[in-house]
């Protein structure tokens, strides 16, 4: 499970930084998800090992162009590149009209089904392995944050202990793995809890859209393994940040600290900041939350599991 930052800038692309897009590679397959799709996102994807045909889900935080202008072209290219499996697209009100109008007016032929869901707050996606929760943030237009929660993995059976008990692999082990107690032929009861290692906790990734500080940002960031938070402006510009519905480095750090996140990744930097300006921005955030890093285009961030206690 890993994040790849395809674009880390705000407003418009610059030579060293594209606009917003983040890929999330999921554990159980070679497929990936996409969060936002600014102009040029598909070009950035060409620099990775990810294939558009393996894109499952797209989550749009809000309708501003630096988060959406790359979407019609990416959907078109997915068809050209042999994508046949259905794609799910989640986003705020207006995402359906935007996509359907763009594809219609350009006579773009899509060879796969696109399921578009205009979201409200709450759990918007769930499968066997993951759940995704959306929450409204505080921006100039409707903007969402997404919390991706990996479900816990069942602990392994204690093979040596089972062997000593005379339990061999087969249906009995299957029942124990499912949490069911079993009775052996000699009448002994084997309790699943006693022969199973602790469950492996799932990982939590929170990706916020554009926002100024708000309660919902705290809510969906609670105890996140990684919190991706915009830091459009440095600490000297709080009034400007709030005027435009954005955050400073210190706002992001305060949210991470209050939410109990394990790691903070800053992104969505104003075009006024160059690559050389990023270390001072990180230092500002670290004054409040030490576990902070700045995202840069094509940065890969592994998301490691927390070992059970």
């Amino acid at each position: 499970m890993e994040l790849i930052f395809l674009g880390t800038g705000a407003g418009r692309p610059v030579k060293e930084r594209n606009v917003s897009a983040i890929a999330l590679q999921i554990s159980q397959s070679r497929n990936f998800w996409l969060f936002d799709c600014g102009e040029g996102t598909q070009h950035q994807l060409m620099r990775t090992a990810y294939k558009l045909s393996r894109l499952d889900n797209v989550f749009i935080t809000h309708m501003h162009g630096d988060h959406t202008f790359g979407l019609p072209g990416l959907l078109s290219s997915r068809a050209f590149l042999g994508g046949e499996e259905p794609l799910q697209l989640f986003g705020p009100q207006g995402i359906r009209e935007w996509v359907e109008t763009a594809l219609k007016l350009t006579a773009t032929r899509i060879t796969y089904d696109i399921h578009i869901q205009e979201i409200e707050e709450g759990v918007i996606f769930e499968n066997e392995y993951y759940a995704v929760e959306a929450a409204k943030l505080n921006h100039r237009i409707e903007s969402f944050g997404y919390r991706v929660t990996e479900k816990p993995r069942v602990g392994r059976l204690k093979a040596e202990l089972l062997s000593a008990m005379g339990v061999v692999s087969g249906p009995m082990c299957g029942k124990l793995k499912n949490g069911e107690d079993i009775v052996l032929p000699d009448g002994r009861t084997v309790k699943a809890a006693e022969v199973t290692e602790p469950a492996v906790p799932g990982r939590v990734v929170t990706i916020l859209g554009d926002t100024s500080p708000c309660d919902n940002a705290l809510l969906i960031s609670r105890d996140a393994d990684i919190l991706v938070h915009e830091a459009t402006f440095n600490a000297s510009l709080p009034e400007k940040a709030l005027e435009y519905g954005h955050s400073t480095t210190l706002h992001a750090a305060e949210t991470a600290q209050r939410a109990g996140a394990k790691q903070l990744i800053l992104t969505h930097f104003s075009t006024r900041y160059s690559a050389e300006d990023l270390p001072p921005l990180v230092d500002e955030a670290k004054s409040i939350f030490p576990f902070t890093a700045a995202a840069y285009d094509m940065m890969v961030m592994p998301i490691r599991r927390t070992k059970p206690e």
Side-chain angles (χ1 to χ4, degrees):
M1 195 175 184
E2 67 181 19
L3 292 171
I4 294 186
F5 291 84
L6 303 171
T8 58
R12 62 178 176 85
V14 294
K15 287 184 178 180
E16 63 189 14
R17 191 183 299 136
N18 202 47
V19 284
S20 294
I22 303 171
L24 172 64
Q25 188 270 326
I26 56 179
S27 300
Q28 284 71 28
S29 70
R30 294 163 49 208
N31 293 7
F32 72 100
W33 299 352
L34 188 64
F35 292 81
D36 284 335
C37 190
E39 178 184 355
T41 293
Q42 63 173 311
H43 291 271
Q44 297 290 77
L45 277 170
M46 291 177 192
R47 301 170 60 191
T48 75
Y50 293 174
K51 306 298 182 184
L52 270 179
S53 59
R54 307 295 298 187
L55 175 61
D56 279 342
N57 298 319
V58 179
F59 300 88
I60 300 297
T61 61
H62 65 292
M63 292 299 298
H64 277 153
D66 58 331
H67 297 255
T68 60
F69 279 163
L71 189 54
L74 180 139
L75 296 176
S76 175
S77 293
R78 187 176 187 266
F80 273 110
L81 294 171
E84 297 179 351
E85 295 299 317
L87 180 141
Q88 296 188 92
L89 172 59
F90 303 87
Q93 294 292 316
I95 192 67
R96 178 183 298 279
E97 181 181 5
W98 155 240
V99 169
E100 291 180 348
T101 300
L103 297 179
K104 178 182 177 181
L105 293 181
T106 55
T108 300
R109 182 172 177 268
I110 300 297
T111 57
Y112 55 90
D113 292 332
I114 303 177
H115 303 291
I116 302 176
Q117 180 178 334
E118 295 189 333
I119 63 173
E120 297 292 341
E121 292 186 299
V123 176
I124 60 169
F125 172 84
E126 188 168 10
N127 63 16
E128 182 180 356
Y129 303 107
Y130 298 94
V132 180
E133 179 184 0
K136 289 183 179 180
L137 303 175
N138 187 17
H139 192 45
R140 289 178 292 155
I141 64 172
E142 186 176 61
S143 181
F144 286 90
Y146 294 106
R147 178 184 176 91
V148 181
T149 302
E150 181 184 38
K151 296 181 180 180
R153 190 173 67 187
V154 176
R156 295 179 180 179
L157 293 177
K158 299 177 181 178
E160 292 184 2
L161 179 57
L162 289 173
S163 178
M165 292 178 167
V167 180
V168 297
S169 60
M172 285 189 172
C173 285
K175 289 183 177 180
L176 291 169
K177 188 75 174 176
N178 290 331
E180 301 176 39
D181 297 341
I182 62 171
V183 178
L184 299 179
D186 61 10
R188 287 179 297 155
T189 297
V190 179
K191 295 186 177 297
E194 295 175 355
V195 296
T196 305
E197 294 178 355
V200 179
R203 291 161 285 189
V204 175
V205 179
T206 297
I207 298 174
L208 301 183
D210 291 4
T211 189
S212 53
C214 62
D215 290 342
N216 272 354
L218 284 172
L219 181 65
I220 65 169
S221 302
R222 64 191 183 282
D223 301 322
D225 291 281
I226 290 182
L227 167 60
V228 180
H229 197 304
E230 70 129 290
T232 308
F233 298 105
N234 68 19
S236 70
L237 296 171
E239 293 83 7
K240 189 174 187 67
L242 296 178
E243 178 184 359
Y244 288 98
H246 287 300
S247 294
T248 67
T249 53
L250 295 188
H251 289 147
E254 289 165 357
T255 295
Q257 181 188 57
R258 293 177 62 193
K262 296 180 178 66
Q263 188 167 12
L264 170 64
I265 308 296
L266 304 177
T267 190
H268 198 266
F269 302 109
S270 167
T271 56
R272 69 181 63 201
Y273 304 118
S274 67
E276 290 72 25
D277 295 320
L278 295 189
L281 296 180
V282 171
D283 288 341
E284 289 178 352
K286 281 186 173 181
S287 69
I288 292 176
F289 188 78
F291 308 105
T292 301
Y296 54 86
D297 284 21
M298 310 311 298
M299 183 176 84
V300 178
M301 174 60 61
I303 307 166
R304 297 181 174 85
R305 292 184 183 275
T306 301
K307 294 182 180 180
E309 298 180 357

